[in-house]
Amino acid sequence: MPGVSEWEKARRWGQEHGDLVFVKNLVRPYIFINSYDAAVELFEKRGNNYSSRPQNTLIELEGWSQLPSQMAYGDEHRKSRQFLNRFFGPSSVTDFCELQTKVAHKLLFGLLTEPDRFEDFTRRSAGETIMMAAYGYEVSNEKDPYIALADRGVRSLSEAKGFSLVNLLPWSNLNDERLLLVRYLPEWVPGTGFHRLIKEGYKLSHAMVFEPYEATKKSMSDGTYISSVTSKLIEVNSTEDGNIADEPTIAKSAAIAYAAGADTTVSTLNTFILAMLLYPETQRRGQEELDRVIGKDILPTMEDKTNLPYINALCNEALRWQTVAPLGLAHCPTKDDVYNGYFIPAGITIYANIWAMQRDPLEYPEPEKFIPERWMPSDGKRTPLDVYKTQFGFGRRTCPGKHFAANSIFIDIASILAAFNIEMASDENGAQIIPVVDYVEGFVRHPKPFKCKITPRSDKITSTIKQAVEAIL
């Protein structure tokens, strides 16, 4: 296995060997699914068999398995999805539109005042949106402790999901043998960096699940809380004796929204800004549509979404061009199965190679290029496969927050384009600094830091942004 970009290696294997690629790393077997059709067949049509998660030693020992996204398929996972779907389903997610629009305006104000810090502001924006929705918590600034906690936690989870020695070894006794290894194998032995990962990961996973949850409970007892997913779940599940039914599941459900929402949207927004630098004609076309449909120097609203097909195409392409989570979350069959003559044993780790699916040249011609027009086909051509379908998972493990994420991505991208021009920065000699498409690899990919110049499109839009933020404050 390569040390990084396993998804690209698996894509190349797929080109040589077919849609399903079987790999044995040491003694641990894996299957990579490189085609959309195969993923739908297994994870959706046969979802009753492929909806669990495989054994992962580090995730279990670090406590990440308590998050609903990492849970084995069962009663607690189903209860968690019921909680989340109640608030983040397509019919309910509109309740957050006002919040998402206000946070987008704060993002614009940050870009207006300190444009060089755009990466800080996109992170704050994503964190602020999900923290208010999940916990009713108002983020103080881009260095807010809960945003920092989510950032560290996602990095820790990403490390735990990797192809480490501990995860590759076969364990006959899942609890005793692994605990003995952690307790008694000296830390000076090469390859035992997992000691640090486990200690840090356990603290982070516990903090991410319970610290913001307990803060919400305290604000409710003080009478100072702002209505949120967590507060509503507590109210609905409170009993007459003062207890809270399913309290651990409530805390875990809010935590997965917090963990996912605080990181993945950031990657997409920064990818969008990178694309605007490298493909300026797409920026101009997006701004032309905004000026024509809603007018110049006007900030868009969520109601404009259906009337802005090119902006929606930009959002789709930002998700497709540089996949946020290239391998998604692993699936695991609970029973032996056969697909197209291939035997698939129970318990094997299966990855849907989203990277390969979103770079299928038959579905997306010239996949390495950023081409929003592919989502607006003409001359009788069909629209490509829905990128939200691949990006947010399959079957019973589809991310429940995908509609919330889609709205956040839309309002942020539309607002940035309506308000600003994004151009290449210049060095001390006046030469343009052309950014390189280079990413920090992990479960969630992020563009490596790059420079750009972000300037307001007019004096009037500057005034509009300030007025919008003054109205919020």
Side-chain angles (χ1 to χ4, degrees):
M1 295 294 294
V4 295
S5 302
E6 299 93 348
W7 42 88
E8 176 59 23
K9 184 67 172 180
R11 182 178 76 93
R12 294 176 184 175
W13 283 333
Q15 292 173 339
E16 183 177 356
H17 301 292
D19 291 348
L20 269 65
V21 178
F22 174 88
V23 178
K24 183 174 284 188
N25 196 3
L26 292 183
V27 295
R28 177 60 62 85
Y30 297 89
I31 292 176
F32 293 95
I33 299 178
N34 289 300
S35 79
Y36 173 86
D37 290 341
V40 169
E41 174 62 34
L42 296 180
F43 297 155
E44 294 195 353
K45 296 181 180 179
R46 308 186 195 185
N48 61 325
N49 188 38
Y50 288 89
S51 295
S52 200
R53 298 295 189 211
Q55 171 197 332
N56 183 301
T57 299
L58 288 179
I59 281 180
E60 292 179 34
L61 292 180
E62 292 181 25
W64 295 114
S65 56
Q66 65 184 316
L67 293 180
S69 64
Q70 307 298 328
M71 288 178 183
Y73 190 71
D75 291 340
E76 186 175 17
H77 175 262
R78 284 189 287 270
K79 173 68 75 173
S80 174
R81 287 192 69 87
Q82 290 172 6
F83 285 161
L84 293 172
N85 285 332
R86 185 181 307 174
F87 300 98
F88 294 111
S91 61
S92 304
V93 76
T94 53
D95 293 342
F96 298 110
C97 287
E98 182 179 357
L99 164 65
Q100 291 169 308
T101 303
K102 288 180 178 179
V103 174
H105 292 166
K106 290 184 181 181
L107 169 61
L108 298 182
F109 187 75
L111 297 177
L112 180 66
T113 54
E114 297 181 85
D116 290 343
R117 296 178 57 207
F118 69 92
E119 292 169 310
D120 291 335
F121 295 127
T122 54
R123 180 163 297 282
R124 171 182 172 169
S125 178
E128 184 173 4
T129 305
I130 196 60
M131 285 300 297
M132 180 60 72
Y135 299 107
Y137 174 83
E138 294 187 80
V139 169
S140 55
N141 54 55
E142 61 276 3
K143 296 182 179 180
D144 185 274
Y146 286 126
I147 293 180
L149 176 60
D151 189 34
R152 295 196 310 273
V154 171
R155 286 203 305 268
S156 174
L157 176 58
S158 179
E159 289 179 320
K161 291 176 63 62
F163 297 92
S164 70
L165 177 63
V166 179
N167 288 337
L168 295 176
L169 292 175
W171 304 99
S172 56
N173 186 319
L174 298 186
N175 293 319
D176 294 343
E177 289 187 6
R178 289 181 294 174
L179 289 176
L180 285 172
L181 176 68
V182 172
R183 289 174 180 168
Y184 298 115
L185 191 62
E187 295 191 22
W188 52 262
V189 174
T192 55
F194 57 81
H195 285 96
R196 174 188 58 82
L197 293 178
I198 291 170
K199 292 175 184 177
E200 294 178 358
Y202 186 81
K203 291 178 182 178
L204 286 168
S205 65
H206 187 274
M208 284 189 67
V209 171
F210 294 107
E211 284 187 9
Y213 175 79
E214 291 297 331
T216 301
K217 279 181 64 178
K218 184 178 185 302
S219 67
M220 292 180 72
S221 65
D222 295 342
T224 59
Y225 75 100
I226 298 173
S227 182
S228 65
V229 170
T230 298
S231 67
K232 291 176 182 178
L233 286 174
I234 289 174
E235 289 170 345
V236 169
N237 290 278
S238 294
T239 59
E240 293 182 359
D241 58 7
N243 292 321
I244 302 172
D246 295 313
E247 185 170 24
T249 306
I250 294 172
K252 295 170 188 177
S253 300
I256 190 56
Y258 163 44
D263 198 56
T264 54
T265 304
V266 180
S267 176
T268 303
L269 289 180
N270 290 337
T271 289
F272 159 74
I273 294 173
L274 177 61
M276 294 302 95
L277 296 175
L278 298 174
Y279 298 88
E281 68 281 0
T282 65
Q283 178 178 183
R284 288 191 292 270
R285 184 169 176 183
Q287 290 173 333
E288 183 279 325
E289 181 180 74
L290 286 163
D291 294 345
R292 174 169 43 82
V293 174
I294 67 174
K296 290 185 177 181
D297 303 314
I298 297 175
L299 296 179
T301 67
M302 210 72 79
E303 287 73 24
D304 295 317
K305 187 176 183 180
T306 56
N307 299 319
L308 296 168
Y310 193 78
I311 299 299
N312 285 298
L314 279 169
C315 296
N316 289 345
E317 191 68 352
L319 280 168
R320 185 211 66 83
W321 180 53
Q322 295 294 329
T323 311
V324 174
L327 291 178
L329 294 171
H331 290 243
C332 175
T334 53
K335 297 183 296 185
D336 293 347
D337 195 15
V338 175
Y339 171 72
N340 280 357
Y342 292 100
F343 173 68
I344 300 176
I348 193 170
T349 300
I350 306 179
Y351 286 106
N353 192 350
I354 300 168
W355 176 266
M357 297 176 199
Q358 294 183 179
R359 269 173 162 59
D360 179 356
L362 297 179
E363 192 68 31
Y364 309 104
E366 299 183 277
E368 302 296 330
K369 294 183 179 180
F370 186 87
I371 307 175
E373 289 77 7
R374 70 174 83 248
W375 303 98
M376 303 171 64
S378 58
D379 300 327
K381 296 180 180 178
R382 68 175 180 84
T383 304
L385 292 173
D386 182 3
V387 70
Y388 286 89
K389 178 80 169 179
T390 51
Q391 187 67 64
F392 289 92
F394 296 87
R396 301 177 187 183
R397 303 308 295 239
T398 300
C399 174
K402 71 176 184 178
H403 303 291
F404 181 90
N407 284 347
S408 284
I409 291 168
F410 165 79
I411 196 64
D412 287 345
I413 285 178
S415 298
I416 290 171
L417 281 182
F420 298 104
N421 291 317
I422 303 170
E423 301 169 297
M424 292 187 189
S426 300
D427 62 19
E428 61 275 10
N429 298 317
Q432 286 188 333
I433 302 174
I434 301 174
V436 178
V437 180
D438 194 9
Y439 277 65
V440 177
E441 305 292 11
F443 170 66
V444 175
R445 300 170 69 245
H446 287 275
K448 291 184 179 179
F450 60 92
K451 294 183 178 294
C452 68
K453 184 172 69 172
I454 299 176
T455 55
R457 297 180 65 199
S458 68
D459 291 338
K460 186 173 182 181
I461 198 65
T462 297
S463 299
T464 301
I465 294 170
K466 292 178 179 179
Q467 291 170 6
V469 173
E470 286 172 2
I472 297 170
L473 302 177

